[in-house]
Amino acid sequence: KQPVGRAMAAIAAVALARPAAAAAGRAVARLASRRPLLLIRSNSTVGSAGPLTGLRILDFTRVLAGPICTQILGDMGAEVIKLERLGEGDDTRAFAPPYLPKNDAGDPSHISAYFAGCNRNKSSMTLNYTTPEGQAVVRRLLGKCDVLVENFKTGTLDKYGLSYSDLKKEFPRLVYCSITGFGHTGPYKSRPGYDALIQAMGGIMSITGEPEGQPMKVGLSVCDLVAGMHGVMGILAALRHVSVSGQGQHVDISMLDVTTALLANQGMNYLATREVQPRLGNMHPNIVPYQVMPGSDGFFILSVGNDPTFGRFIEVAQQADPSAVDLLKDERFSSSVARVMNRQVVTDRCNELTRLRPVAWWMEQLEKAKVGCSRILNLKEVFEDPHVQAREMLLDIDIASLDRPATVIASPFKFSETKVSYRKPPPELGEHTNEVLSKLGGFTDAEIAELKAKGAV
């Protein structure tokens, strides 16, 4: 039987903590006291008891959707064992340049920035799951794990006896999460899934871009990222079910499903009217003005979410053009519904007003009037923003192979009692293979040597 009681104490918030979890926490603290792995900000402490402390995850994932899922779980205290291909590892180890800087001179290291961004708080173990010996190792490790996460193309692990249906009898409390392009059912289930492909198939590209331009994908791998986040939610919900029923289950996350759900109000606009919406560029389909606005020297975002806010915008605009007040008497401008119905007229007139003053003037005056607005920041400006820094969204990690700490994006979770925990930097390929096999799997040195000789690990 799996010792999932360790995880349930954290997930279900039961009253009594298991001694094993407490001992594990003390062991982590002792390790941290010998050599701090991270230089961290005040939101976290090395080896602190995050809300998922005691949960152990066997991580078969690679690239982005899966690794983001398991990194989130790791940041919240779960122990994550990342299984990687012998000799190659996660694909993103080679997604470079850029690489993390090795020293203050900026010389590149061997660690890709992509890999470092989604693989902290993980132990790396190399494994060949296609061999019988490798499959036996997986089963042995699963006896000590609560969750398996994988993002192979549907059916891949079935060929090696490692699908959920193959494992559920032997490990009845196992939560098995699959994150794939199209899920484990349906006519597309065997297709590979890629973010740009899913953005196209999920409708995102049809509503993104300038009206007269070509369809555009979002600048981030949004389908991958949101699928990973849904994986976290599904895993936590399934663990809750284990805590009350003792029954594990398969969590089937499809990137296309997630993207379809992500359509939200845009999708509902279609379902309500059965009319295909044209691309609106930077405009909002249901609110006007809620878009990019031109100043006399650049652009900014204006977010007018309701009629009182529009009134305050006009009060500010009057300082640039006293005739702006007349818009409040114009039926085309007088309500949020009317402004949407007369989108082009409203946009043209508001653009005329905002062009009269520089962006800095609009920022100062609109903020005083409590009207939503922002300059459009590049990434340098984002990371230098005082609010982003005050919220501690940058994390400096000490990596043994680098001569200087590496800066990465921190966890956005801010818990009042169980702070996120940054315990391990992104691992070297196979860095923890022997440790995992011996300490968790109970393999002897001779058995490990035999596994390596057979190409299993």
Side-chain angles (χ1 to χ4, degrees), residues 240-312:
R240 168 61 179 168
H241 180 68
V242 175
S243 75
V244 298
S245 70
Q247 180 185 33
Q249 61 183 302
H250 186 207
V251 180
D252 179 6
I253 302 294
S254 155
M255 289 171 63
L256 184 57
D257 289 355
V258 167
T259 303
T260 303
L262 200 62
L263 293 173
N265 61 300
Q266 300 274 33
M268 288 306 302
N269 289 348
Y270 169 76
L271 293 174
T273 64
R274 300 294 165 168
E275 295 178 1
V276 176
Q277 177 184 299
R279 292 189 299 279
L280 296 173
N282 288 308
M283 299 181 187
H284 193 289
N286 305 108
I287 309 171
V288 179
Y290 192 104
Q291 59 210 61
V292 173
M293 306 295 287
S296 63
D297 62 348
F299 296 90
F300 66 96
I301 284 287
L302 176 66
S303 302
V304 173
N306 52 45
D307 292 335
T309 304
F310 185 73
R312 295 196 300 276

Side-chain angles (χ1 to χ4, degrees), residues 128-204:
N128 184 356
Y129 61 86
T130 68
T131 67
E133 294 82 6
Q135 295 153 22
V137 169
V138 171
R139 281 185 156 80
R140 192 144 157 184
L141 295 178
L142 277 178
K144 301 288 183 65
C145 293
D146 308 296
V147 179
L148 184 152
V149 188
E150 59 93 8
N151 64 340
F152 292 106
K153 188 171 65 174
T154 295
T156 297
L157 291 181
D158 299 46
K159 295 181 290 186
Y160 305 106
L162 297 175
S163 69
Y164 177 67
S165 60
D166 293 318
L167 298 172
K168 64 181 181 180
K169 289 184 179 179
E170 186 177 354
F171 307 102
R173 298 171 70 92
L174 177 66
V175 171
Y176 188 115
C177 179
S178 299
I179 304 174
T180 61
F182 301 96
H184 279 234
T185 60
Y188 303 157
K189 66 179 182 180
S190 297
R191 294 185 183 181
Y194 301 96
D195 184 88
L197 183 153
I198 301 297
Q199 287 196 40
M201 294 184 69
I204 290 178

Side-chain angles (χ1 to χ4, degrees), residues 113-130:
Y114 196 127
F115 178 83
C118 51
N119 283 289
R120 64 172 172 257
N121 281 333
K122 301 177 185 181
S123 300
S124 172
M125 171 182 166
T126 52
L127 175 80
N128 184 356
Y129 61 86
T130 68

Side-chain angles (χ1 to χ4, degrees), residues 40 43-51 72 74-77 121 410-415 417-423:
I40 54 180
N43 188 54
S44 171
T45 55
V46 174
S48 65
I72 292 171
D75 285 349
M76 290 193 285
N121 281 333
S411 169
F413 292 100
K414 308 293 192 290
F415 296 102
E417 303 300 328
T418 52
K419 296 181 179 180
V420 294
S421 174
Y422 304 118
R423 306 171 307 283

